[in-house]
Amino acid sequence: DVQLVESGGGSVQAGGSLRLSCVGSGYTYNRYCMGWFRQPPGKEREEVAVVVTWNGLSIRYADAVKGRFTASQDNARTTLYLQMNSLKPEDTGMYYCAASSYSDWRTTDYWGQGTQVTVS
């Protein structure tokens, strides 16, 4: 079975940092791009940072997080990280890891269960 397991969420004060991790298993890693999405309270899920090339080196960021968040993968491409700095209250939400068989993310094939981030 495919699994995406997120960890690293928590509560932090504005200006602080958190690092999220997502470990994937049960699928062929070089056939999927991984990414991060979030769902703020009362809002729809939105893209945060997604890998958009098959070599895993190019990442697309949402305008709201550019310059503050950095996504990266381990060499085996089994784990995706999200380093979040200068956190703002509007970054609060459930953060989800996802995998897509399309580098342009026209569809999303798998989702993790999510990890909560709260910034106050």
Side-chain angles (χ1 to χ4, degrees), residues 17-108:
S17 298
L18 284 173
R19 189 188 194 212
L20 307 183
S21 299
C22 170
V23 178
S25 62
Y27 61 96
T28 305
Y29 302 112
N30 62 0
R31 296 180 64 181
Y32 289 87
C33 290
M34 297 179 76
W36 288 102
F37 292 73
R38 68 185 180 187
Q39 186 165 17
K43 297 183 180 180
E44 293 188 353
R45 188 150 47 187
E46 60 189 19
E47 182 182 293
V48 175
V50 297
V51 175
V52 293
T53 53
W54 294 113
N55 61 9
L57 297 180
S58 184
I59 298 171
R60 180 173 72 210
Y61 293 94
D63 288 343
V65 306
K66 284 179 181 176
R68 300 188 298 122
F69 290 11
T70 303
S72 60
Q73 285 186 280
D74 65 337
N75 289 337
R77 298 181 60 188
T78 61
T79 303
L80 181 69
Y81 303 98
L82 185 66
Q83 178 66 43
M84 305 186 295
N85 298 328
S86 302
L87 282 161
K88 304 175 181 181
E90 52 263 44
D91 294 318
T92 293
M94 187 70 77
Y95 282 68
Y96 297 92
C97 179
S100 174
S101 55
Y102 293 94
S103 60
D104 62 6
W105 288 81
R106 70 187 71 174
T107 61
T108 303

